[in-house]
Amino acid sequence: MTEAAPSYALTRPAYVGGSHLVVTDLPLVSRFYQDMLGLKVIEKTASGEVLGVAGHPLLTLTTDRAATRAPTTAAGLFHTAFLMPSRVELARWLRHAAQNNVVLEGASDHIVSEAIYLSDPEGNGIEIYADRPHEQWTFHDDGTVEMATLRLDLQKLYESAPQDHWDGMAEGSAIGHIHLQVGDVAEANAFYRDVLGMKVMAARYPGATFLATGGYHHHLGANTWNSRGAGVRSEHMTGLSDYTLRFNDKAALDKAAAALEKHEIKTEKRDGGISLRDPWGIGLNLIA
């Protein structure tokens, strides 16, 4: 049996490789991601767990005695978006969610993708989605992609699911993008576009920007819908501690590193990559 090709999102010059959340109740939150999302525990440490799919780490959960719940208006995570390898797998997950009374918070057809929204027990946003084939996307003359927020027919999606046993997230599932709450959209573009070299792929949503590498619809979203004017995150705050951008192209990583140095942004070398913080104190790890 041949291994399925990786999702388009993961074949671009850079993509989101993992997310790290700080939580107050580690067993409760970990159990949610295992039972409701279908992630598997890959590694356990004294202060946390690493969860993933088919041995590939996607989500790190750690706890801290000093951790305090982040206010909803703080900069940080809007949602971690788990990308299913196919629409069939999205339907299979929806069938599992319905059978286990998972509370959904929304569902949208974004033209480029179909997405379902929910939150974990500590309020960390989650998106479960599947992309439509890249060949079906519509691009504008400026390189941006046509996106919208339309109603998704959940019943139709549910009915398309195979009537088989669900054994967790399918191999090939990944974090397709991460969506941040930030204090200012222009400042987010100045950092992620002008310094790190991402391209704005959709700028027609008020109070939000969507950026990517290599023509994906977005590897990173940033909005001010709840967090306009938010400053740097406080130490020991729950929610998003850091996330990883993994570069398929070493030259692209080197270019990003040079830009960070040129703009005198503080970085640290760690685990063969570069660690830094964005303008709101959200940790970012760049690795090839």
Side-chain angles (χ1 to χ4, degrees), residues 125-142:
I126 299 167
E127 176 181 336
I128 309 288
Y129 78 111
D131 281 333
R132 287 199 168 92
H134 174 251
E135 308 81 57
Q136 296 178 13
W137 301 358
T138 299
F139 287 87
H140 301 290
D141 292 340
D142 62 359

Side-chain angles (χ1 to χ4, degrees), residues 147-163:
M147 291 173 63
T149 300
L150 310 173
R151 176 181 170 273
L152 177 62
D153 189 338
L154 281 175
Q155 186 63 36
K156 187 176 180 181
L157 181 63
Y158 174 89
E159 290 170 356
S160 73
Q163 302 292 310

Side-chain angles (χ1 to χ4, degrees), residues 186-205:
E187 191 173 359
N189 282 335
F191 180 77
Y192 286 102
R193 178 192 62 199
D194 302 341
V195 177
L196 290 184
M198 288 184 158
K199 177 175 171 52
V200 173
M201 296 303 296
R204 286 176 286 278
Y205 283 78

Side-chain angles (χ1 to χ4, degrees), residues 167-213:
D167 190 34
M169 252 190 214
E171 186 170 356
S173 300
I175 295 179
H177 67 267
I178 199 153
H179 195 144
L180 306 178
Q181 293 193 162
V182 299
D184 183 79
V185 168
E187 191 173 359
N189 282 335
F191 180 77
Y192 286 102
R193 178 192 62 199
D194 302 341
V195 177
L196 290 184
M198 288 184 158
K199 177 175 171 52
V200 173
M201 296 303 296
R204 286 176 286 278
Y205 283 78
T209 184
F210 298 90
L211 305 104
T213 69

Side-chain angles (χ1 to χ4, degrees), residues 31-171:
R31 180 51 55 193
F32 178 86
Y33 282 99
Q34 292 175 62
D35 292 349
M36 300 307 166
L37 267 69
L39 298 179
K40 302 286 196 296
V41 176
I42 294 173
E43 181 184 334
K44 288 193 175 189
T45 66
S47 61
E49 296 179 358
V50 177
L51 295 90
V53 175
H56 295 286
L58 298 179
L59 180 68
T60 299
L61 301 173
T62 58
T63 190
D64 179 348
R65 287 182 182 177
T68 55
R69 288 290 286 269
T72 57
T73 55
L77 184 71
F78 189 66
H79 59 238
T80 303
F82 293 91
L83 174 60
M84 302 292 101
S86 66
R87 190 177 194 268
V88 169
E89 290 303 330
L90 180 65
R92 292 181 77 235
W93 178 82
L94 177 60
R95 184 168 172 267
H96 162 76
Q99 291 173 345
N100 287 274
N101 299 315
V102 176
V103 177
L104 304 182
E105 297 173 355
S108 297
D109 181 338
H110 293 303
I111 303 177
V112 293
S113 64
E114 295 172 289
I116 301 169
Y117 300 94
L118 62 153
S119 294
D120 73 17
E122 294 198 359
N124 295 298
I126 299 167
E127 176 181 336
I128 309 288
Y129 78 111
D131 281 333
R132 287 199 168 92
H134 174 251
E135 308 81 57
Q136 296 178 13
W137 301 358
T138 299
F139 287 87
H140 301 290
D141 292 340
D142 62 359
T144 60
V145 66
E146 182 68 26
M147 291 173 63
T149 300
L150 310 173
R151 176 181 170 273
L152 177 62
D153 189 338
L154 281 175
Q155 186 63 36
K156 187 176 180 181
L157 181 63
Y158 174 89
E159 290 170 356
S160 73
Q163 302 292 310
D164 57 5
H165 174 68
W166 187 80
D167 190 34
M169 252 190 214
E171 186 170 356

Side-chain angles (χ1 to χ4, degrees), residues 199-264:
K199 177 175 171 52
V200 173
M201 296 303 296
R204 286 176 286 278
Y205 283 78
T209 184
F210 298 90
L211 305 104
T213 69
Y216 189 54
H217 55 73
H218 68 296
H219 290 107
L220 183 87
N223 76 65
T224 58
W225 299 330
N226 302 314
S227 55
R228 186 177 302 277
V232 176
R233 286 172 58 82
S234 302
E235 200 174 353
H236 303 297
M237 200 178 263
T238 60
L240 184 63
S241 168
D242 56 85
Y243 66 100
T244 299
L245 278 180
R246 186 170 289 276
F247 287 75
N248 286 317
D249 181 359
K250 178 66 164 56
L253 174 57
D254 293 341
K255 186 176 179 181
L260 289 164
E261 185 175 352
K262 178 184 175 183
H263 286 83
E264 299 182 343

